[in-house]
Amino acid sequence: HPARRSLILVVRCQMQKHIKNALTLCVAIVVVWVAVPVARHYLFDAFISGRTFSSTSEWRDTLSILSWFFYISIFTLFGFILSRLINSTRRWLWVVSLGVIFTLYLALFSRNYFFQGVSFATYFWVYGLYAMPVLGASLGYFLPVMVSRRAPRHLTTQSS
């Protein structure tokens, strides 16, 4: 039956695409697990190690701001790259899942110890960091989409 063969081919093609996307995501996760700690180590050594940061407000925590910026930046880069490698109509789900998986990793394996009476701002800065991989991966997907939609269209001139 030709209709049945056609359906089988379509299903097989879809499965191959999903398997390729899953493998691409797995490779991206491994790359992130290796690259992020290495980049964080060298970047923090270059900009933070040996320096003292002081602030007049708990809400202006320079070290936390730099940490948030690092995670947003690196996951924006990885989200952008992954969005170009995934072939799916729901590409953004694959890209955001990279940030979600890394956030789960951070939440499960990070240890945070606080003194009694610590301010809400401290909790905000520490636990807010966990949202940065998801936010960065989302930006990596959505920023190019938004830019391409706002890019001026080339006007074609017609000669009379």
Side-chain angles (χ1 to χ4, degrees):
H1 297 97
R4 185 175 174 186
R5 285 184 186 173
S6 165
L7 179 62
I8 290 172
L9 287 174
V10 167
V11 169
R12 184 179 294 160
C13 180
Q14 288 296 318
M15 288 300 295
Q16 288 174 345
K17 187 168 74 167
H18 289 306
I19 290 170
K20 179 187 171 272
N21 289 339
L23 289 173
T24 303
L25 179 61
C26 288
V27 168
I29 289 168
V30 170
V31 169
V32 163
W33 252 282
V34 171
V36 169
V38 170
R40 185 180 56 218
H41 172 75
Y42 285 111
L43 190 69
F44 280 39
D45 271 357
F47 293 104
I48 296 173
S49 183
R51 292 190 172 89
T52 304
F53 298 97
S54 61
S55 175
T56 56
S57 168
E58 296 170 333
W59 290 101
R60 290 185 51 210
D61 185 344
T62 305
L63 185 58
S64 294
I65 292 169
L66 290 172
S67 297
W68 282 28
F69 181 74
F70 168 77
Y71 277 104
I72 286 177
S73 300
I74 199 155
F75 276 92
T76 299
L77 174 67
F78 282 119
F80 174 76
I81 293 168
L82 187 60
S83 74
R84 299 300 173 237
L85 298 174
I86 294 291
N87 180 17
S88 173
T89 55
R90 295 187 181 142
R91 183 178 296 153
W92 67 273
L93 282 174
W94 291 94
V95 172
V96 170
S97 66
L98 177 68
V100 168
I101 290 167
F102 198 83
T103 291
L104 289 173
Y105 167 76
L106 283 176
L108 291 174
F109 295 104
S110 294
R111 300 289 178 250
N112 300 304
Y113 301 101
F114 300 104
F115 296 108
Q116 285 184 342
V118 71
S119 71
F120 175 76
T122 302
Y123 289 110
F124 172 80
W125 286 115
V126 170
Y127 292 114
L129 179 70
Y130 296 153
M132 297 307 113
V134 176
L135 181 61
S138 301
L139 286 173
Y141 173 76
F142 286 110
L143 281 178
V145 169
M146 292 183 328
V147 167
S148 68
R149 287 185 183 162
R150 296 184 138 245
R153 307 227 184 251
H154 294 288
L155 299 176
T156 57
T157 57
Q158 297 177 358
S159 55
S160 321

